[in-house]
């Protein structure tokens, strides 16, 4: 177990890795909130999927409950205080790049849907999949401003004009 200094170091490393990727503080919290809501959604839907006699629905429900636990472990380790290595796992996940988290979360959400395509699995994994999409969008980065876009276009146009004048001068 880590002391109070370990939690502070974890939040600092999380903030520095998010700043390197250009993720704002509110977007980082939106992703975390989406992960927690996705975990709750997966857990509730997983329990409902397990109340059946069809084995594929039971397997999908167990997978969804496992997804809920993993999402909570990665996004809100304080909810999993009974797991000794929760903070260690959360620190390792925070060091991952956004696109890696996106692939991991979207892949986890698609698994139960592939096993048993029902409305319960679709709705239960929708928010978990949305968490992966949010991380994927953050991996794409910020949109450029109109001024920087205009500068790039002007530089391209000047380069094209210089090439054209060089070919015309070379032909004379």
């Amino acid at each position: 177990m880590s002391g109070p200094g370990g939690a502070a170091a974890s939040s600092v490393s999380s903030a520095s890795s998010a700043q390197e990727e250009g993720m704002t503080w509110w977007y980082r919290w939106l992703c975390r909130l989406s992960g927690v809501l996705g975990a709750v959604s997966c857990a509730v839907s997983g329990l409902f999927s397990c109340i059946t006699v069809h084995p594929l629905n039971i397997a999908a429900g167990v997978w969804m409950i496992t997804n809920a636990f993993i999402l909570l472990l990665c996004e809100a380790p304080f909810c999993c205080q009974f797991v000794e290595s929760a903070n260690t796992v959360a620190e390792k996940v925070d060091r991952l790049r956004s696109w890696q988290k996106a692939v991991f979360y979207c892949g986890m959400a698609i698994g139960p849907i592939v096993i048993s395509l029902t409305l319960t699995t679709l709705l239960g994994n929708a928010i978990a999949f949305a968490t992966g999409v949010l991380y994927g969008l953050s991996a794409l980065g910020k949109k450029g401003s109109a001024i920087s876009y205009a500068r790039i276009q002007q530089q391209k146009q000047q380069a094209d004009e210089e090439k054209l004048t060089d070919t015309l001068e070379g032909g004379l």
Side-chain angles (χ1 to χ4, degrees):
M1 291 263 200
S2 64
S10 171
S11 65
V12 169
S13 68
S14 167
S16 66
S17 67
Q19 289 297 335
E20 289 173 3
E21 292 185 24
M23 194 185 299
T24 59
W25 66 270
W26 60 267
Y27 195 81
R28 185 174 57 245
W29 280 103
L30 176 69
C31 290
R32 291 213 183 256
L33 179 67
S34 173
V36 171
L37 292 176
V40 171
S41 171
C42 276
V44 171
S45 297
L47 285 174
F48 280 122
S49 289
C50 286
I51 303 173
T52 184
V53 292
H54 196 268
L56 289 179
N57 285 349
I58 294 172
V62 169
W63 189 323
M64 289 171 64
I65 293 170
T66 305
N67 285 352
F69 176 71
I70 292 171
L71 271 171
L72 274 181
L73 191 66
C74 295
E75 296 296 327
F78 60 88
C79 293
C80 302
Q81 291 181 355
F82 57 89
V83 178
E84 291 181 17
S85 61
N87 289 331
T88 308
V89 171
E91 288 173 10
K92 288 181 181 180
V93 170
D94 281 340
R95 282 189 236 131
L96 293 176
R97 298 210 180 267
S98 293
W99 69 268
Q100 293 169 328
K101 287 182 185 180
V103 169
F104 180 64
Y105 290 158
C106 288
M108 278 188 350
I110 289 175
I113 295 171
V114 170
I115 291 175
S116 172
L117 182 61
T118 61
L119 188 61
T120 307
T121 56
L122 279 175
L123 294 178
N125 287 306
I127 301 174
F129 189 83
T131 303
V133 170
L134 286 173
Y135 275 113
L137 288 175
S138 72
L140 292 177
K142 286 184 176 179
K143 219 170 53 167
S145 67
I147 295 170
S148 64
Y149 182 73
R151 283 187 194 143
I152 292 170
Q153 291 301 322
Q154 184 180 14
Q155 290 172 351
K156 285 182 182 178
Q157 188 178 21
Q158 286 176 353
D160 290 342
E161 289 174 0
E162 289 175 3
K163 287 180 185 176
L164 183 62
T165 56
D166 287 343
T167 55
L168 288 178
E169 289 174 0
L172 294 177

